[in-house]
């Protein structure tokens, strides 16, 4: 029963072959109108989950994200058009771990639609410090290992929703897990080229805890989650001191928030601002992060180039 609830080193790393879009979809994986009629509709709360869900669903389900590319997911304010688009959904996929607090009110308009929490089965990392101390860090999809848990939860949910396609869902999930494992191998190899003293990932949001744990990086940030994106003098001074002490050559920010505060950190610490990461949202179609796999490769390429001074 459904429940509520790189990459660039000295040379470019090889990438797994791009997957062929399912019939009736665009290159970005967005279903075309002719291909979605009569298919069960699945809603996700943000674009990254929609991309993952499409890999598992293949051509059997119509998957849509409530939020659009570029939206800031933590403090999102749904619009009337979002609610209209949600009408007729038969399943909703949410991240959980407190990420989509706005979704409870939004989804109250869909009381009979099953909701699946994709982080079920994952042990969360707690947020350290500030007002969110001890609460779960919600960004578990940033670990390729943990993304496999998302994929399995999707497979189970889709099998219950459309059991006639269970074999295809299983086959798609296995293929996608293989891509995530190839991604993990690439990230591990390329991040290992960073010198120990520069293995600091300095960003605006503390969204890289799982990635940092998996690959032996240290995380430092201006605020714990984007829902609390106010920069206090204490937070800024702390990050400036850390970057200056470690002599880290580059700092970064996320695509869904302003980078101005982080640019000030760079100026005052003797570092430089070296680029934008994608975390809570994919880029628009044609951008550098139009899928979760491309998002991870873009981020790590940006990180390595920045920390190596390229």
């Amino acid at each position: 029963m459904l429940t509520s609830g790189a990459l660039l080193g000295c040379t470019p790393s090889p990438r797994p072959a791009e997957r062929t879009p399912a019939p009736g979809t665009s290159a970005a994986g967005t279903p075309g109108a002719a291909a979605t009629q009569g298919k069960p509709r699945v809603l996700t709360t943000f674009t990254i989950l929609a991309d993952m869900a499409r890999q598992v669903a293949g051509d059997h389900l119509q998957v849509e994200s409530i939020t659009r590319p570029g939206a800031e997911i933590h403090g999102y304010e749904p619009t009337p058009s979002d609610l209209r688009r949600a009408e007729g959904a038969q399943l909703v996929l949410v991240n959980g771990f407190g990420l989509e607090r706005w979704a409870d009110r939004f989804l109250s308009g869909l009381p009979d639609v099953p909701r699946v929490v994709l982080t079920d089965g994952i042990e969360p990392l707690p947020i350290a410090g500030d007002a969110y101390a001890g609460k779960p860090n919600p960004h578990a999809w940033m670990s390729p290992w943990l993304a496999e848990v998302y994929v399995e939860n999707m497979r189970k949910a889709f099998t219950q929703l459309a059991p006639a396609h269970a074999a295809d869902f299983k086959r798609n999930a296995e293929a996608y897990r293989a891509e995530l494992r190839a991604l993990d191998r690439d990230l591990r190899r390329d991040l290992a080229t960073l010198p120990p003293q520069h293995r600091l990932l300095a960003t605006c949001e503390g969204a890289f805890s799982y990635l940092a744990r998996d690959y032996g990086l240290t995380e430092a940030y201006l605020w714990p989650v984007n829902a609390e994106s106010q920069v206090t003098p204490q937070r800024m001074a702390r990050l400036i001191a850390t970057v200056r002490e470690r002599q880290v050559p580059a700092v970064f920010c996320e695509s869904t928030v302003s980078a101005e505060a982080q640019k000030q950190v760079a100026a005052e610490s003797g570092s430089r601002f070296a680029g934008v990461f994608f975390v809570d949202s994919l880029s628009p179609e044609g951008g550098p992060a139009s899928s979760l796999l491309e998002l991870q490769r873009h981020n790590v390429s940006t990180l390595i180039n920045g920390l190596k001074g390229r």
Side-chain angles (χ1 to χ4, degrees):
M1 177 179 179
L2 295 174
T3 58
S4 293
L7 310 175
L8 301 178
C10 295
T11 59
S13 301
R15 299 185 180 186
E18 294 295 329
R19 300 185 70 182
T20 301
T25 66
S26 70
T30 304
T36 59
Q37 293 183 1
K39 297 177 183 178
R41 291 188 64 215
V42 177
L43 281 183
T44 71
T45 46
F46 58 106
T47 55
I48 293 169
L49 300 187
D51 170 62
M52 298 176 74
R54 289 181 186 124
Q55 310 312 314
V56 180
D59 195 35
H60 300 304
L61 305 174
Q62 177 185 352
V63 179
E64 296 182 8
S65 170
I66 297 170
T67 59
R68 308 284 184 165
E72 208 302 290
I73 185 68
H74 295 269
Y76 185 71
E77 296 184 4
T79 66
S81 63
D82 291 331
L83 190 56
R84 287 194 296 272
R85 286 192 301 114
E87 293 175 355
Q90 293 169 260
L91 176 66
V92 177
L93 305 179
V94 303
N95 184 77
F97 285 171
L99 177 67
E100 313 102 324
R101 298 187 183 279
W102 54 268
D104 289 336
R105 179 166 49 88
F106 176 78
L107 297 175
S108 65
L110 307 170
D112 299 322
V113 180
R115 191 187 314 182
V116 170
V117 179
L118 296 175
T119 50
D120 278 355
I122 293 175
E123 182 68 28
L125 290 176
I127 294 172
D130 297 315
Y132 286 78
K135 295 182 179 180
N137 189 306
H139 302 91
W141 69 87
M142 294 299 290
S143 162
W145 296 353
L146 297 182
E148 292 194 40
V149 178
Y150 285 63
V151 170
E152 178 60 11
N153 286 335
M154 289 174 179
R155 184 197 67 78
K156 291 177 181 177
F158 295 167
T159 296
Q160 292 190 357
L161 179 63
H165 303 299
D168 285 344
F169 296 146
K170 180 179 180 181
R171 183 163 46 249
N172 293 343
E174 289 173 349
Y176 193 36
R177 280 195 292 267
E179 291 186 278
L180 288 167
R181 289 167 190 164
L183 173 69
D184 170 64
R185 290 192 295 271
D186 286 351
L187 300 191
R188 192 166 304 282
R189 178 192 60 233
D190 291 305
L191 287 168
T193 66
L194 291 174
Q197 69 273 24
H198 289 167
R199 298 179 67 82
L200 178 74
L201 206 168
T203 62
C204 289
E205 182 187 18
F208 292 87
S209 298
Y210 297 93
L211 189 83
R213 177 199 63 186
D214 289 354
Y215 302 108
L217 303 173
T218 301
E219 184 185 31
Y221 47 81
L222 284 171
W223 51 78
V225 296
N226 281 344
E228 191 194 359
S229 57
Q230 297 299 314
V231 186
T232 66
Q234 294 83 359
R235 287 176 180 166
M236 181 168 284
R238 185 170 60 215
L239 185 57
I240 290 170
T242 299
V243 173
R244 182 185 293 136
E245 180 182 349
R246 293 277 296 267
Q247 297 184 331
V248 178
V251 300
F252 310 86
C253 197
E254 292 72 45
S255 65
T256 55
V257 295
S258 170
E260 290 309 307
Q262 194 69 301
K263 291 178 180 179
Q264 184 177 343
V265 169
E268 296 190 22
S269 65
S271 183
R272 68 186 180 93
F273 182 78
V276 170
F277 294 145
F278 291 83
V279 177
D280 295 333
S281 172
L282 298 180
S283 63
E285 185 176 354
S290 58
S291 72
L292 174 63
L293 299 178
E294 289 301 311
L295 175 152
Q296 292 279 29
R297 295 180 185 282
H298 165 83
N299 287 352
V300 171
S301 173
T302 300
L303 175 67
I304 290 174
N305 285 332
L307 294 181
K308 289 189 172 181
R310 292 199 293 264

